[in-house]
Amino acid sequence: MDYRPQDLDRKWQSRWTSSRAFEVEVDTSRPKFYCLEMFAYPSGHAHVGHVRNYIIGDVMARTKRMRGYNVLHPFGWDAFGLPAENAAIKGGIHPEVSTRGNIAHMKGQLQRLGISYAWERELATCDTEYYKWNQWLFIRMFEKGLAYRRRSSVNWCTSCNTVLANEQVVDGGCWRCGTPVETRDLEQWFFRITAYADELLDATAGLTGWPEKVLTMQRNWIGRSEGARVKFPLESRAPSPEPQAPSPEIEVFTTRIDTIYGATFVLLAPEHPLVAALADRSPDPASFRQTVQGFRAQDRAARMSGAIEKQGFDTGARAVNPFTGASVPVWVANFVLGEYGTGAVMAVPAHDQRDFEFARKFDLPIKVVVTPDGRPVDASSMGEAAEAYGTLVDSGEFSGLPSADAQKRMIASAKARGIGEGTVQFRLKDWGISRQRYWGTPIPMIHCPEDGIVPVPDAELPVVLPHVAQFSGRGDSPLAQVAEFVNVRCPRCGGPARRETDTMDTFVDSSWYFYRFADPRNNAQPFDPAAVKYWLPVDFYSGGVEHAILHLIYSRFFARVFRDLGYVDQGEPFKQLLTQGMVLKDGAVMSKSKGNVVDPDTMLQKFGADALRLYVMFVAPPEKEVEWSDAGLEGSYRFLARVWRLVEHWRSAVARSTGTREAAWASLDAAERAMRRKTHDTIRRVTVDIEERQQLNTAVSAMMELVNDLYAFSERAVTGAPTHKSGEEEMAPAAGERPETVDVMREALEALARLLSPFAPHSAEEMWERLGHADSLNAASWPTYDAVVARAEEIVVPVQINGKVRSRLTVSVDISEQEMEQLALADPAISSYIAGKTVRKVVVAKGRLVSLVVQ
RNA sequence: GCGGAAGUGGCGGAAUUGGCAGACGCGCUAGCCUCAGGAGCUAGUUCCCGCAAGGGAGUGAAGGUUCGAGUCCUUUCUUCCGCACCA
């Protein structure tokens, strides 16, 4: 029979489904393994880049299943999100319709690849049964003060009169009409992730199964920095008649309080609350405000293009440096960030490059207060700021102290005087989750004129996303236009009230779906804690690096929220993380717009699922980026066909020999022993490569080596090599053929079918069946190896003279170091080299090599 | 600028603990088989010299440690990725 993979795909996929082969239940008597690939946004079509990740996970899942683990391997859909809504605005197809259609298509693609998912646990985040628990959790977080509301700026298109997501801002303009985007302040919901900043940072040290790269990215993202807050009092002017007089001081954050004697001016962010008040007091408030507004608008556009030039202007106000008592000017600067620290900085041009550039540009004073290496620094001639730590000069009572000591003393001094204190500042900000969008989880809150913000009672959850027929892309939040949705009675006072019309960021959906998979149909709670206790943490999590920060940090945050709610007992959800590399085509990431998408279905039709799976695993280690190659895929197909012919060639001989196996191991000849050794060593290598090294490409090459040896072994046996022609016939053992050879072949083919099955499950199942087995390869059928058999009897050991290999010795593996040395010196090739010279040193690495130093 | 990863044949890559560099695959070459081959089987394939035996060179570059370095150390170059006025 010829190798027809497409038939095998169909046959085995339907068998797996009908036998519920991959469905699992909690079973505390067995070790569990939770294997998860990041769930998918249902964009419509999976390309081979996406698919690579699922295959990697499937190899792990199938291997662990065969190793006897109770394997949870679920899949689902990150189904809410902007693209579906954008498509609805442009094409008029309702997000619900397009999303469900896309899910159906992509699910078919994954099924055709034979990925071993527990499909009965499938979930989509747009299911009310799922997002209900987003709402439930939101309310719990609201109760604990972890969800709160405050004003924050959004992108606003004045032409469409609507809020834009960051992705909808293209080159600083609206994605639809190109109108320049403005910022506008709205009341929005936030999650207080900063409450866990320290813990999220510290716990990275315990994530030993994560790539160091990802941990570094998370640490940088959290961005802990130690420093101090110090108040610079504003110089009093004529008493202000205004009732809300500006705050009498400017608080700055600095990590270099040791340089404070050199603080010759103060800079405010354009967003700083004091700026508006200072504008009122300025001689020309209109132009003041216009300049500030210019800075704020510029900031957005400039983020895209890179660096922007430093700009600023003098507010006219002055503040007092609390350490020197000097009067310093207060400026507004475009590069000071409103959302970091206090939104104000003390500028020390001598010791901070940014301040230095600003001072030079605007001719502000530069004062040196730290000498890096003991040599004096001249303020007027320095070309750049001296940022290094050093010894303080010209700093009053602190002069002469090293920077680090000075920082401690200055913080103590500031604290004693009530003008500052040491603080820890994080770069991590609270997570803004409000989206003025339709296709997401409605935020379960009610705004009552009497009672303020009231959560929807648990009994009334879910707040179902109402049907919206028309998506214009204009105006308010889509939900705000649905009167039946918006108008509601206040749960507390019963009076008329309005529902919250914002929906949640879809990162909320993806921050806990891995818990839900443990118990996806629970209607009473987000999940049964006992089920999660059994299945979690995820033992193997794989996905793209693009999620290294947001998704993974939000998930770690949610894990701690669930922990503090008493639902899970530990705060790290992912034990091991693998970030798989992308698949490139013509050197670029696959994308529809580039037109370089490789469609898995086309490959499936040509070569079958197994060849595609095998190729993608073989081409490179999982973390690496790979370039797609049609020729490489063909090579994998050829390999599978080669294995297939080998099985076909031998299977009837193997079937007839049943019963003689094992008995014959003692009477093997040398070639049979070597073949058997190769079989057992291959089992060892493949097992280690998958489970320990997770280097799936070398696992495949180990199997290829085995097959190459089996062909040679087959050639040597009387039956000849399984050529294309002869493969079509069932070969009987030729006259005089040794039964031992058949036994060795059977052991090898059975091992091979099983080792191959995580990679090429359809072909492997079929081969297993054709070798005479009625059971499926699914459960607990991983081959074991005999370490004694796997060990070589003889090895070839190189002999080096002065670092160059001059001869090779074939020796027993058990040979002693002394014997090796003697054999090496007695070797004719070696003795002729060393004749007449002095052997100064002999190094023997047991079982590895002999190295002679000769003069 | 800061941080991270990586540089190995024509190509993808392998080398697990400092011990035979180039496994395995692609591509290419030759032979066999065949009516035919874009199928299959066998052999070859880092570069240079040589009919061969063999010799020499060789893991981005330059040094170093070592009997021995792709692997460890120092310097340096290049590429990719992340962060990027975070005070």
Side-chain angles (χ1 to χ4, degrees):
Chain A
M1 195 177 115
D2 281 342
Y3 179 54
R4 296 201 182 286
Q6 296 83 353
D7 298 344
L8 307 185
D9 290 356
R10 271 191 294 277
K11 170 179 170 180
W12 289 99
Q13 283 162 20
S14 81
R15 279 210 199 171
W16 293 328
T17 305
S18 61
S19 66
R20 301 180 68 240
F22 312 123
E23 305 300 335
V24 283
E25 297 305 326
V26 169
D27 178 357
T28 49
S29 70
R30 288 169 64 201
K32 66 91 185 180
F33 189 83
Y34 187 173
C35 180
L36 186 66
E37 298 97 62
M38 289 180 187
F39 69 171
Y41 179 77
S43 58
H45 297 268
H47 60 61
V48 295
H50 304 123
V51 147
R52 184 185 188 194
N53 189 31
Y54 310 138
I55 300 171
I56 292 167
D58 201 38
V59 170
M60 294 307 297
R62 286 180 179 270
T63 303
K64 289 292 182 179
R65 220 175 265 126
M66 291 174 75
R67 296 280 274 164
Y69 288 85
N70 193 24
V71 175
L72 176 60
H73 189 214
F75 199 72
W77 309 97
D78 189 13
F80 274 138
L82 197 56
E85 193 166 335
N86 284 347
I89 295 169
K90 282 187 167 165
I93 304 164
H94 194 277
E96 174 89 33
V97 175
S98 60
T99 301
R100 297 289 171 190
N102 287 349
I103 287 175
H105 183 258
M106 288 175 74
K107 182 177 178 181
Q109 287 186 299
L110 298 187
Q111 286 175 321
R112 286 190 289 281
L113 280 164
I115 311 288
S116 66
Y117 288 130
W119 280 112
E120 291 176 18
R121 289 176 187 254
E122 179 182 8
L123 60 81
T125 55
C126 63
D127 295 336
T128 48
E129 300 77 36
Y130 184 83
Y131 71 71
K132 170 182 178 176
W133 300 107
N134 282 348
Q135 295 171 338
W136 176 90
L137 184 65
F138 183 97
I139 294 166
R140 299 290 86 77
M141 290 172 76
F142 177 73
E143 290 164 352
K144 298 197 83 166
L146 289 171
Y148 67 94
R149 206 165 149 80
R150 71 168 153 86
R151 287 190 87 77
S152 173
S153 64
V154 293
N155 306 302
W156 184 266
C157 174
T158 49
S159 165
C160 300
N161 199 31
T162 190
V163 170
L164 299 176
N166 286 336
E167 308 91 285
Q168 290 176 316
V169 180
V170 181
D171 295 331
C174 171
W175 66 297
R176 294 187 71 205
C177 62
T179 309
V181 170
E182 295 185 356
T183 65
R184 205 166 261 213
D185 287 339
L186 292 181
E187 287 280 319
Q188 302 199 71
W189 287 99
F190 286 83
F191 283 160
R192 206 178 298 279
I193 190 172
T194 53
Y196 292 88
D198 260 321
E199 196 193 336
L200 288 169
L201 180 67
D202 294 346
T204 55
L207 293 174
T208 51
W210 286 39
E212 198 55 43
K213 174 195 173 80
V214 173
L215 295 178
T216 304
M217 285 165 76
Q218 293 215 347
R219 287 176 190 135
N220 292 342
W221 187 259
I222 295 169
R224 185 181 198 272
S225 57
E226 290 182 15
R229 290 183 178 225
V230 183
K231 290 170 183 160
F232 281 58
L234 271 186
E235 255 177 35
S236 52
R237 293 184 165 194
S240 168
E242 310 274 332
Q244 68 278 47
S247 133
E249 59 210 6
I250 298 170
E251 190 175 40
V252 303
F253 173 72
T254 178
T255 54
R256 290 299 302 275
I257 195 173
D258 56 308
T259 64
I260 197 166
Y261 278 78
T264 50
F265 50 100
V266 169
L267 295 174
L268 300 178
E271 295 82 5
H272 195 282
L274 194 55
V275 169
L278 290 175
D280 293 340
R281 298 199 324 190
S282 82
D284 186 357
S287 79
F288 190 120
R289 286 197 199 89
Q290 199 182 351
T291 312
V292 171
Q293 188 54 46
F295 287 172
R296 293 187 65 174
Q298 165 198 46
D299 196 20
R300 280 198 175 267
R303 282 271 150 74
M304 313 282 184
S305 55
I308 48 172
E309 196 176 340
K310 288 182 176 52
Q311 291 179 314
F313 73 97
D314 192 349
T315 65
R318 297 186 75 84
V320 179
N321 181 325
F323 276 76
T324 62
S327 166
V328 297
V330 178
W331 285 55
V332 174
N334 63 342
F335 65 91
V336 177
L337 304 173
E339 67 277 24
Y340 184 77
T342 59
V345 299
M346 63 177 207
V348 185
H351 305 293
D352 181 285
Q353 185 59 25
R354 295 156 301 185
D355 300 343
F356 179 79
E357 289 168 21
F358 196 83
R360 276 283 156 89
K361 180 164 179 179
F362 295 104
D363 208 17
L364 289 157
I366 298 172
K367 182 186 172 196
V368 173
V369 291
V370 175
T371 51
D373 46 12
R375 283 196 303 267
V377 177
D378 177 30
S380 58
S381 65
M382 62 198 300
E384 57 179 14
E387 296 188 327
Y389 275 26
T391 304
L392 270 66
V393 294
D394 214 355
S395 296
E397 58 182 297
F398 305 97
S399 297
L401 289 173
S403 291
D405 292 353
Q407 287 177 359
K408 289 186 197 116
R409 296 224 198 158
M410 287 169 145
I411 287 170
S413 161
K415 188 158 191 188
R417 290 161 57 199
I419 54 156
E421 59 181 348
T423 53
V424 174
Q425 183 65 45
F426 292 95
R427 189 184 167 282
L428 180 74
K429 290 179 279 182
D430 276 341
W431 173 15
I433 61 139
S434 286
R435 296 290 180 271
Q436 293 73 35
R437 294 288 135 205
Y438 171 73
W439 194 230
T441 304
I443 293 175
M445 289 286 155
I446 290 168
H447 301 274
C448 172
E450 296 299 315
D451 296 301
I453 293 170
V454 182
V456 172
D458 282 0
E460 290 173 26
L461 295 182
V463 176
V464 176
L465 191 61
H467 187 78
V468 168
Q470 287 287 318
F471 293 87
S472 66
R474 288 168 179 274
D476 225 340
S477 276
L479 293 182
Q481 295 157 26
V482 183
E484 326 69 282
F485 177 80
V486 174
N487 298 315
V488 70
R489 295 266 153 202
C490 169
R492 206 161 285 166
C493 67
R498 287 176 58 84
R499 270 192 206 282
E500 171 69 56
T501 56
D502 284 354
T503 53
M504 297 183 200
D505 180 3
T506 56
F507 274 114
V508 175
D509 311 339
S510 54
S511 294
W512 69 282
Y513 75 103
F514 39 88
Y515 289 124
R516 183 71 179 172
F517 274 137
D519 187 19
R521 305 288 172 249
N522 200 319
N523 283 324
Q525 49 187 346
F527 48 80
D528 175 8
V532 163
K533 195 181 168 81
Y534 175 73
W535 288 116
L536 272 284
V538 173
D539 295 279
F540 180 85
Y541 193 37
S542 73
V545 244
E546 64 272 21
H547 295 113
I549 298 178
L550 295 183
H551 164 57
L552 289 167
I553 223 165
Y554 292 152
S555 296
R556 296 179 61 222
F557 165 51
F558 267 40
R560 287 166 172 78
V561 173
F562 275 117
R563 179 198 63 196
D564 293 348
L565 288 170
Y567 273 77
V568 305
D569 42 8
Q570 63 110 9
E572 288 299 342
F574 310 120
K575 195 164 164 191
Q576 202 213 325
L577 176 72
L578 185 140
T579 52
Q580 118 272 5
M582 288 186 290
V583 180
L584 309 179
K585 169 80 175 155
D586 309 321
V589 180
M590 289 182 195
S591 78
K592 249 189 238 170
S593 55
K594 291 201 192 79
N596 62 346
V597 171
V598 178
D599 174 23
D601 284 311
T602 331
M603 301 299 143
L604 252 55
Q605 280 158 27
K606 263 175 132 166
F607 301 108
D610 290 343
L612 176 62
R613 293 172 56 117
L614 193 76
Y615 167 63
V616 169
M617 295 301 97
F618 174 61
V619 66
E623 299 84 356
K624 269 207 74 152
E625 241 172 34
V626 297
E627 172 71 26
W628 176 260
S629 149
D630 284 342
L633 174 60
E634 280 183 55
S636 291
Y637 173 82
R638 277 203 293 273
F639 169 73
L640 289 173
R642 196 166 141 86
V643 177
W644 178 267
R645 286 194 305 275
L646 190 66
V647 170
E648 287 298 280
H649 185 78
W650 281 91
R651 70 188 186 87
S652 75
V654 161
R656 267 190 292 276
S657 76
T658 310
T660 60
R661 62 193 314 197
E662 311 280 335
W665 293 153
S667 55
L668 300 186
D669 66 21
E672 288 157 353
R673 273 205 308 277
M675 191 63 246
R676 222 181 147 226
R677 187 193 83 74
K678 185 70 178 179
T679 299
H680 282 252
D681 193 47
T682 303
I683 297 171
R684 183 189 64 78
R685 282 173 64 188
V686 173
T687 309
V688 169
D689 280 352
I690 297 175
E691 288 202 316
E692 291 169 32
R693 303 208 307 150
Q694 281 163 11
Q695 188 136 315
L696 305 178
N697 54 329
T698 50
V700 176
S701 45
M703 290 186 277
M704 288 173 166
E705 280 185 42
L706 175 65
V707 171
N708 289 344
D709 278 16
L710 284 169
Y711 264 68
F713 182 68
S714 192
E715 175 82 21
R716 165 240 179 227
V718 222
T719 56
T723 63
H724 184 59
K725 285 281 173 206
S726 66
E728 291 173 359
E729 297 137 32
E730 290 186 7
M731 299 299 287
E737 179 181 307
R738 290 165 52 83
E740 288 89 345
T741 293
V742 181
D743 285 338
V744 167
M745 187 55 87
R746 183 235 306 282
E747 185 184 46
L749 292 177
E750 289 183 343
L752 179 61
R754 291 181 290 173
L755 294 177
L756 200 53
S757 83
F759 298 87
H762 314 83
S763 307
E765 288 268 26
E766 186 72 18
M767 289 172 199
W768 185 245
E769 189 178 81
R770 292 172 83 79
L771 285 168
H773 299 275
D775 57 325
S776 166
L777 278 174
N778 190 12
S781 49
W782 194 251
T784 53
Y785 65 91
D786 182 332
V788 176
V789 177
R791 212 170 71 121
E793 296 167 29
E794 288 193 320
I795 47 171
V796 177
V797 174
V799 183
Q800 295 180 346
I801 295 176
N802 295 340
K804 288 196 192 305
V805 178
R806 296 299 180 186
S807 182
R808 291 183 170 83
L809 303 171
T810 302
V811 299
S812 154
V813 274
D814 301 316
I815 192 168
S816 72
E817 293 178 29
Q818 290 86 342
E819 283 174 294
M820 263 173 74
E821 181 174 341
Q822 282 163 17
L823 278 172
L825 292 170
D827 185 79
I830 296 301
S831 52
S832 67
Y833 259 103
I834 59 179
K837 294 170 184 156
T838 321
V839 178
R840 299 183 61 95
K841 190 169 183 179
V842 181
V843 180
V844 181
K846 194 171 184 307
R848 295 224 184 238
L849 58 42
V850 181
S851 179
L852 306 177
V853 184
V854 170
Q855 214 171 32

